[in-house]
Amino acid sequence: MAPRPLHYEPTLESIRQHPLPDWYQDAKLGIFVHWGLYSVPAWAASRKSPYQTILESGFDTYFRENPYAEWYLNTLKFEDGPTRAYHDRTYGERFAYEDFQPIFEREARQWVPDDWAELFRQAGAGYVVLTAKHVDGYLLWPSQVGNLARPGYQSKRDLVGEFAAAVRGRGLHAGLYYSGGMDWLLNPERIDAPEKIYSTILAGPQYVAYADAHWHELIDWYQPAVMWGDIMYPPGANTLALFADYYNRVPDGVINDRFATRFTAPRIPGLQPPGIHYDFLTPEYVSFDEIQAEKWETCRGISNSFGYNHTDDEKSYLSASTVIRMLIDIVSKNGNLLLNVGPRADGSIPALQRECLRGVGAWLEVCGEAIRGTRPWSRAESTTACGLPVRFTCKDSALYALLLGTPRETEVHIRDVRATAGSEVHLLGHDERLRWRQSGGDLFVLLPARLPDQPAYALKMASPASDRSRT
C-alpha cells in the first residue's frame, strides 16, 4: 500500500491520494446489520428478490409491495396496499410509525452486543457495518445534534457505541451506514416511482448542516472504519471537506460510492449515481461477470430483505453453501461480500441467519487461505471437463483454483490453466500433496479418494520455496 499524505486537504487531488487500505482489500467478507424501528413490525408483503419483483410486475408493484422490510414506512403510505392492511389489522388504524419507538427501545434493552460480535467472528467476517440512521430518520445513538423534525427521535442507549466496542473487541473493523440524501421523517412524500427516489432527496443549507453534523459526530465519537452512505447526499454539501476530515481522523478508513450530490446516470447498470470520490463501488443484490479494475462490494441480505421479515422461512434464506459459492465468485472478481443480517427488535438474530453465518465460517476455517488476503488472478473463471465451475484467486506466488461444487471424477480436469513446473498441489484441509500433470493447456489433479462434504474445494498450487502464503 502506498504511503498516505500526512494530512488531507478538502480537494479532490488530495483525497484521491488516499490508498485503499490492506485490511479492507484483504477482508473479503463483511456483515451488514439493518436494525431499527422497522424491526418491530418486521414485515414485508413480498419475499421475492427486488429484481424478480420488478421484472415480473413492474415498478408500481415493487414500491407497493417492496420486499425490503426496512421500507415499511413507505409501503405503509399505500392506503390500498398489503402493508397498510397488515398494519391496521395488527396495530390499529391510528397507530403511527413513530409509535414503534418506545416498543423498539424497550425490546432493545435485551440486546447483548457481544453475542453479535462473537457470531460475526465465527462467520469469518473482517468488518461489520451498522445502520446508524436509515431512511426513517431514527438515530441509533444519543446524538447531541438530535432530530430536525422530532426531538428525542433517537435511542437513549448508545447502540452504535456498544456495537463498535463489541465488534472491535473481537478483532473486527466497525463501520457505519447513514442515509444521507433521503429521510422520510423530513420529506414524507411517498416513493411510488423510480424517479421519486432522487426527486425526494433533501436539500437546503439546514439539511446539509444537519447531515454533516451527524456524520462529524459519528466520526468523532466512533471513528468508523467504513463511511457507508446511501441514496446520495444533499445537494450543496461539501463532501470533499467531509471526506478530508474523515481521512484525517481515520486514516485507514474507507468511503463507499453513494455520496453523489447531484444526479448523474450511473456508468454501470445496477449502481447508484457515484459520488466524486470513493474507495469502492456498491452493486446491490448483483455481481459482475468479469474482474473489475476498481474495488467493489456487493451488499445483499441472507433473504430478500435487509430488515428482518418475520414471514421469511427456510425457502426465503440462502443456504451457507450458496453464500460460500457467491463469496468465491465475488472475490475472484476483485469484490467483497457485505452480507446482511436483520435482527429482531430485541437484537436477537434468527436461527436460520445464524446457521448460515456459522456455515460460512466453518468453511472459511478450512479454506479461508484461498479467500482472505488474496487478489484476482489474470482471469476469474474456468470449468472442469465435467462442467463444474472453477474460480481463481492468488496470493504471493500461490494460485488457488476453487471448485464450486463436488467433482464427480477422481482426477479433476481443469481447463486452460497451467501449474508452474516444480509446483506442489494441495487440497486445503488435506495434509498430503496431490499428484498432478499438465496436458497441453489443461491441468489434471488426482484428488483424495474420499473428499470431505463441502460446498466448495480449494486447490493450492505453489512452489515449496515460495510457499509462504498468509492465512
Side-chain angles (χ1 to χ4, degrees):
M1 185 171 68
R4 67 175 183 87
L6 294 177
H7 181 79
Y8 291 95
E9 299 294 336
T11 66
L12 198 56
E13 179 184 17
S14 179
I15 63 172
R16 281 187 174 169
Q17 295 180 60
H18 180 261
L20 184 69
D22 285 341
W23 75 260
Y24 182 79
Q25 183 78 290
D26 292 345
K28 308 305 181 187
L29 177 64
I31 303 296
F32 216 175
V33 184
H34 277 63
W35 190 41
L37 302 194
Y38 45 83
S39 305
V40 177
W43 194 87
S46 172
R47 291 188 296 177
K48 298 177 181 178
S49 76
Y51 299 103
Q52 182 184 2
T53 304
I54 293 168
L55 288 172
E56 292 180 358
S57 308
F59 280 105
D60 289 344
T61 298
Y62 172 75
F63 288 108
R64 186 173 178 272
E65 301 178 14
N66 197 310
Y68 289 172
E70 69 277 10
W71 273 53
Y72 187 93
L73 175 55
N74 189 68
T75 54
L76 190 61
K77 296 171 184 175
F78 290 82
E79 294 296 336
D80 60 345
T83 300
R84 169 55 69 180
Y86 169 80
H87 184 85
D88 291 351
R89 184 172 65 250
T90 307
Y91 301 103
E93 295 181 9
R94 296 186 178 183
F95 192 97
Y97 181 83
E98 293 79 17
D99 293 333
F100 287 127
Q101 180 179 357
I103 301 174
F104 174 76
E105 292 176 355
R106 183 185 69 237
E107 291 296 303
R109 292 174 193 159
Q110 303 175 62
W111 174 54
V112 181
D114 283 343
D115 288 351
W116 282 12
E118 177 57 21
L119 176 63
F120 302 154
R121 184 199 66 78
Q122 291 174 7
Y127 59 105
V128 189
V129 178
L130 174 67
T131 51
K133 186 196 87 164
H134 209 270
V135 287
D136 62 0
Y138 179 76
L139 312 180
L140 293 191
W141 77 101
S143 171
Q144 293 180 359
V145 176
N147 190 284
L148 277 175
R150 184 178 293 276
Y153 199 56
Q154 60 192 45
S155 175
K156 298 179 183 66
R157 180 178 174 182
D158 190 358
L159 304 177
V160 170
E162 292 184 42
F163 152 80
V167 163
R168 289 169 180 152
R170 292 299 194 283
L172 310 180
H173 293 267
L176 295 176
Y177 166 110
Y178 181 91
S179 176
M182 184 178 284
D183 187 314
W184 293 334
L185 189 67
L186 302 175
N187 184 351
E189 182 179 353
R190 187 176 77 182
I191 311 297
D192 51 22
E195 59 271 17
K196 284 194 175 181
I197 293 176
Y198 301 106
S199 68
T200 57
I201 296 298
L202 290 152
Q206 185 181 29
Y207 184 71
V208 168
Y210 178 69
D212 278 351
H214 276 162
W215 261 125
H216 282 298
E217 196 171 59
L218 293 171
I219 292 166
D220 290 343
W221 290 11
Y222 309 114
Q223 299 85 55
V226 184
M227 276 186 73
W228 218 101
D230 200 14
I231 316 183
M232 301 181 58
Y233 205 63
N238 186 347
T239 55
L240 295 179
L242 179 63
F243 295 166
D245 287 346
Y246 171 63
Y247 284 150
N248 288 326
R249 189 76 167 89
V250 188
D252 64 346
V254 289
I255 299 169
N256 78 338
D257 61 337
R258 300 189 182 191
F259 280 86
T261 55
R262 62 188 181 90
F263 180 79
T264 55
R267 57 187 176 79
I268 299 175
L271 296 178
Q272 289 191 21
I276 59 174
H277 170 77
Y278 53 85
D279 292 299
F280 60 96
L281 298 168
T282 55
E284 190 164 312
Y285 275 82
V286 294
S287 183
F288 291 112
D289 294 330
E290 304 289 342
I291 296 171
Q292 300 297 300
E294 292 183 290
K295 185 64 184 179
W296 58 284
E297 171 195 87
T298 194
C299 60
R300 64 151 299 140
I302 299 176
S303 71
N304 287 315
S305 176
F306 287 97
Y308 175 54
N309 181 356
H310 73 255
T311 70
D312 279 337
D313 55 22
E314 289 186 3
K315 295 179 180 178
S316 307
Y317 287 107
L318 298 178
S319 67
S321 296
T322 299
V323 171
I324 288 162
R325 293 172 188 143
M326 182 185 300
L327 173 65
I328 292 168
D329 178 69
I330 289 166
V331 170
S332 74
K333 296 166 183 173
N334 199 30
N336 285 8
L337 171 60
L338 187 63
L339 184 66
N340 182 80
V341 298
R344 301 181 183 92
D346 64 5
S348 62
I349 296 174
L352 290 172
Q353 296 184 37
R354 299 172 76 93
E355 180 181 321
C356 178
L357 293 181
R358 289 192 174 116
V360 173
W363 183 83
L364 286 170
E365 281 288 320
V366 177
C367 298
E369 177 187 333
I371 299 295
R372 299 188 190 98
T374 63
R375 299 295 181 266
W377 191 43
S378 58
R379 57 193 173 87
E381 301 184 6
S382 184
T383 61
T384 68
C386 293
L388 192 67
V390 180
R391 299 293 183 268
F392 299 105
T393 62
C394 62
K395 177 164 55 180
D396 299 331
S397 61
L399 173 64
Y400 301 91
L402 295 113
L403 312 177
L404 304 189
T406 303
R408 297 193 300 270
E409 63 272 43
T410 302
E411 186 179 52
V412 68
H413 172 186
I414 305 176
R415 298 185 186 279
D416 303 321
V417 61
R418 290 179 179 273
T420 307
S423 290
E424 292 185 355
V425 178
H426 289 269
L427 179 70
L428 296 187
H430 181 77
D431 292 334
E432 298 178 5
R433 282 185 295 172
L434 304 180
R435 293 173 58 187
W436 66 275
R437 62 187 176 90
Q438 195 79 45
S439 179
D442 295 351
L443 178 69
F444 292 77
V445 179
L446 187 63
L447 298 173
R450 302 183 71 175
L451 289 173
D453 183 17
Q454 294 178 188
Y457 301 84
L459 293 170
K460 175 182 179 180
M461 293 160 270
S463 60
S466 60
D467 184 11
R468 292 186 290 271
S469 298
R470 292 170 293 163
T471 57

